[in-house]
Amino acid sequence: MISMRYHIVSVAAVFLALAVGVVLGSTSISDRLLAGVGAERESLQGQVEQLDAERTALKAQVAGSERFESAVAPMAVRGQLAQRSVVLISSAEVSDQRRAAVSELLRDAGADLTGEVRLGDGFADPDRADQLRRVVTELLPAGLQLPTAADPGTLAGGLIGPLSLLDPQSGQPQTGDQERAAAFSGLADGGFATASPGLRPAQLAVVLTGGPFEGDRAGDEAAVLARFATQIDLAGQGAVLTGSAEGTGAVGVARADPAIASNLSTVDNAGSGSGRVAIVLALREQADRQAGHYGVASSAQGSVPSARG
């Protein structure tokens, strides 16, 4: 007769066998899994190394292309802006290096660079829009009239444009030297804009801006710069706006508005040699009462305008 002790021992033996089987089986499976993971890791590591090598090669190609573009750029633009004067206007985030590179190529093109205007950190700040409106109204020299639009970008352009550019019809300064100096002094006191010493009004303007704005009011900030550049364009013989073509970039806003895009030229890759060439040739187009949009973004008409003799 089978005793209760036999049953207990038998059941224990079964469970022990199962446990041993699970351990042995899991060990075998673990070994296979580990082997598979190791092989996958080696494959992924190889892919990473290949991608790193490709990235290094692409960076070298880009650097070589930029060196080539920078070397040939002076020849590509030679004489394009002869007997033309240009003022350079830049927003606060534009680096000194970019400003210098654009200035150098403008001079290579034969332009008379009459000076620079640098916009302050608070220029496009929506929190300071009312202050900017008030300052512009208070500083307006006698004889000038502000645009009817109430947005801060247009109003600021309605002041800085005539201060920085020659009258497109008469070719004469739109303000006196003392009035110009006083207005820029007031703008500097408010942290909105500063002018280089001895700034002279020019025929044409380049407005340099940076990348896309970020945050809840990014679109509003980009719109301030786009509308400002539009008014600068209207104040003289023409202007070229550079910057980001994204939706919250100044160029992106300008290109999305047909009323702006029909008159103001834009370039979305001013950080490259080809982009700087596009700025020069677009200025030449502006002097001939034409507008275009250039760069590498999908909204551009092409990389550069056609050069002319």
Side-chain angles (χ1 to χ4, degrees):
M1 188 173 179
I2 300 173
S3 66
M4 181 61 69
R5 181 179 179 184
Y6 178 81
H7 279 295
I8 294 173
V9 171
S10 297
V11 171
V14 171
F15 278 107
L16 178 62
L18 287 172
V20 171
V22 168
V23 171
L24 292 175
S26 63
T27 301
S28 176
I29 293 172
S30 297
D31 288 342
R32 290 197 299 273
L33 285 174
L34 288 174
V37 169
E40 183 68 18
R41 183 184 64 185
E42 291 178 1
S43 175
L44 290 173
Q45 182 62 35
Q47 294 179 43
V48 169
E49 292 175 355
Q50 180 181 356
L51 290 173
D52 282 342
E54 291 176 356
R55 183 183 63 179
T56 300
L58 287 173
K59 288 175 67 176
Q61 292 177 23
V62 170
S65 176
E66 174 61 23
R67 287 193 298 271
F68 175 78
E69 290 176 357
S70 297
V72 301
M75 293 180 285
V77 302
R78 185 173 298 157
Q80 291 296 317
L81 294 176
Q83 300 181 350
R84 304 283 184 180
S85 55
V86 181
V87 63
L88 187 65
I89 303 173
S90 58
S91 57
E93 68 275 11
V94 177
S95 68
D96 292 342
Q97 181 180 5
R98 180 162 300 181
R99 290 168 46 242
V102 172
S103 296
E104 182 179 359
L105 198 62
L106 289 171
R107 292 190 179 96
D108 289 336
D112 172 18
L113 195 60
T114 64
E116 296 188 35
V117 176
R118 298 210 68 181
L119 305 180
D121 291 325
F123 184 86
D125 185 353
D127 290 334
R128 301 194 64 192
D130 289 339
Q131 184 183 356
L132 179 57
R133 291 189 188 95
R134 184 174 64 254
V135 167
V136 165
T137 303
E138 292 173 350
L139 295 175
L140 187 69
L144 294 183
Q145 186 173 356
L146 288 174
T148 56
D151 67 275
T154 299
L155 289 177
L159 173 62
I160 295 177
L163 294 177
S164 307
L165 291 160
L166 297 170
D167 184 280
Q169 278 75 45
S170 67
Q172 298 300 311
Q174 301 182 57
T175 62
D177 293 342
Q178 292 183 348
E179 290 84 359
R180 184 182 311 110
F184 273 121
S185 177
L187 288 168
D189 289 342
F192 293 115
T194 57
S196 59
L199 172 74
R200 295 177 287 112
Q203 297 168 314
L204 301 160
V206 177
V207 182
L208 300 176
T209 68
F213 288 94
E214 298 179 353
D216 296 338
R217 295 182 291 182
D220 294 335
E221 294 174 280
V224 169
L225 292 175
R227 291 168 183 163
F228 168 77
T230 300
Q231 204 60 39
I232 295 295
D233 176 62
L234 295 173
Q237 287 190 8
V240 175
L241 171 67
T242 79
S244 171
E246 295 186 29
T248 57
V251 167
V253 171
R255 290 178 178 176
D257 187 333
I260 297 177
S262 61
N263 295 301
L264 177 70
S265 292
T266 63
V267 174
D268 61 49
N269 60 335
S272 68
S274 61
R276 292 188 289 274
V277 169
I279 292 172
V280 171
L281 299 182
L283 276 176
R284 173 64 183 264
E285 281 192 332
Q286 282 285 311
D288 294 338
R289 302 296 191 269
Q290 299 180 39
H293 306 283
Y294 308 103
V296 295
S298 59
S299 55
Q301 297 172 343
S303 57
V304 296
S306 298
R308 304 175 192 179

